Amino acid sequence: MSKDVSPRKFKRNFTVIVEGNIGSGKTTFLNYFQQFNGVSVLAEPVDKWRNCSGHNLLEKMYSDPKKWSFTFQSYVQLTMLQLHTLKTADPIKLMERSIYSVRNCFVEQMARSKCLDECSVSVFDEWFKWTKENCDLSIDLIVYLRTSPEIAYERTVKRNRPEEQTVSFNYIRDIHNMHEDWLYHKTLFKCPAPVLIIDANLDKSIIQEEYLKCKTQIFTNRAFKAIA
Ligand SMILES: Nc1ncnc2c1ncn2[C@@H]1O[C@H](COP(=O)(O)OP(=O)(O)OP(=O)(O)O)[C@@H](O)[C@H]1O
Ligand SMILES: Nc1nc(=O)c2ncn([C@H]3C[C@H](O)[C@@H](CO)O3)c2[nH]1
């Protein structure tokens, strides 16, 4: 890391959230940044969603979204809030997704596809509103791993996660459009921080150059200096 910001010196984490479609390469991106001093990586708590007191909520949501969406989204929101409020020992906290994409992409898609009825969305939004007003959810930078829906779908199928067997291209395209409206066109919901767009269509073999651009932006960011 370019400067020595020891844990005792900085006031709060410089928080970066990594957003993108299913299969866009977030985990791969986070694994790359794991190598740098001063960075704590917080992956999406998928294992918790797969085993909540023995229940695989991710599998239930994909197999019967109308029945399980609210249950699943409630637990996702709790587990993401736990990560947002965790203070890491390293100055830079790199989070995979956020409580914002939970609402702005996934819950929004469920509302539009009627997997969540209006009443459920209202209850979810009351929780979201209270959480934003009473918890420190501040973030300093959003990294948007932007892919085409075709490439995201191709990688998702290839990765072959058991619970995602029923995920259709149309669903990936819907989630893509939610991310585009939120983070690229900025016509959907307010962006809680500046957005850095990465061309995540690039193949693994050459994408590290694109990642390096990101490293400069993160480590020399004015906000990062402000926390020291
Ligand atoms: N730039 C890339 N080029 C080719 N394949 C990639 C690239 N990035 C990731 N992959 C592959 O695509 C699959 C999904 O990648 P990864 O798990 O990083 O995505 P993700 O965004 O974390 O997915 P999810 O949101 O489902 O957790 C993996 O098999 C990974 O090896
Ligand atoms: N419905 C729904 N709501 C969410 O908030 C959410 N966050 C992640 N996911 C799904 C995407 C991948 O399959 C898998 C890993 O990202 O979990 C979600 N699905």
Side-chain angles (χ1 to χ4, degrees):
M1 187 169 82
S2 55
K3 62 183 298 182
D4 171 30
V5 181
S6 56
R8 64 178 175 287
K9 280 187 196 156
F10 64 93
K11 301 184 280 284
R12 63 173 179 80
N13 289 123
F14 177 75
T15 304
V16 181
I17 57 172
V18 183
E19 301 285 3
N21 203 345
I22 302 166
S24 56
K26 298 179 298 301
T27 304
T28 307
F29 177 92
L30 293 171
N31 289 342
Y32 174 79
F33 273 89
Q34 193 95 47
Q35 67 183 299
F36 298 114
N37 287 335
V39 177
S40 291
V41 168
L42 299 181
E44 249 184 346
V46 183
D47 290 343
K48 287 189 173 180
W49 308 340
R50 287 171 142 161
N51 182 4
C52 174
S53 306
H55 303 287
N56 187 334
L57 298 182
L58 182 66
E59 185 181 60
K60 288 177 184 291
M61 181 275 294
Y62 276 131
S63 55
D64 188 349
K66 278 201 183 301
K67 180 174 181 183
W68 293 106
S69 287
F70 186 80
T71 307
F72 177 73
Q73 292 303 145
S74 308
Y75 192 54
V76 170
Q77 177 147 273
L78 168 65
T79 55
M80 293 311 289
L81 178 59
Q82 288 167 337
L83 296 180
H84 276 287
T85 52
L86 185 72
K87 186 162 168 36
T88 57
D90 290 296
I92 297 178
K93 178 163 90 166
L94 214 47
M95 276 182 66
E96 184 180 11
R97 289 221 176 97
S98 66
I99 202 163
Y100 299 101
S101 46
V102 172
R103 175 58 188 84
N104 300 346
C105 300
F106 291 98
V107 169
E108 187 63 20
Q109 189 279 339
M110 287 172 160
R112 294 185 185 189
S113 61
K114 306 291 179 216
C115 284
L116 276 177
D117 55 45
E118 274 177 35
C119 162
S120 301
V121 176
S122 307
V123 169
F124 187 88
D125 280 343
E126 285 301 308
W127 274 106
F128 187 51
K129 186 164 154 281
W130 186 91
T131 304
K132 281 192 288 185
E133 288 162 0
N134 294 276
C135 305
D136 176 11
L137 300 181
S138 47
I139 53 171
D140 299 286
L141 182 67
I142 302 172
V143 175
Y144 174 27
L145 300 185
R146 190 171 185 240
T147 53
S148 68
E150 290 76 11
I151 285 190
Y153 182 66
E154 182 192 315
R155 291 179 187 166
T156 302
V157 170
K158 204 169 133 202
R159 196 257 315 276
N160 199 24
R161 192 180 263 146
E163 296 86 351
E164 295 168 351
Q165 297 309 306
T166 57
V167 171
S168 66
F169 172 75
N170 286 347
Y171 180 72
I172 296 286
R173 189 199 51 221
D174 285 353
I175 298 298
H176 168 76
N177 292 335
M178 296 290 122
H179 280 84
E180 287 286 281
D181 289 348
W182 175 39
L183 297 173
Y184 188 74
H185 305 300
K186 300 189 180 175
T187 51
L188 189 56
F189 295 100
K190 202 164 96 40
C191 284
V195 182
L196 179 61
I197 296 176
I198 295 286
D199 177 5
N201 284 329
L202 294 171
D203 189 76
K204 248 182 182 172
S205 52
I206 54 167
I207 201 166
Q208 291 208 352
E209 264 170 63
E210 193 78 359
Y211 288 171
L212 270 176
K213 265 198 276 180
C214 217
K215 177 172 177 272
T216 317
Q217 294 255 1
I218 293 171
F219 287 106
T220 51
N221 190 296
R222 260 180 315 108
F224 172 48
K225 293 192 176 97
I227 66 163

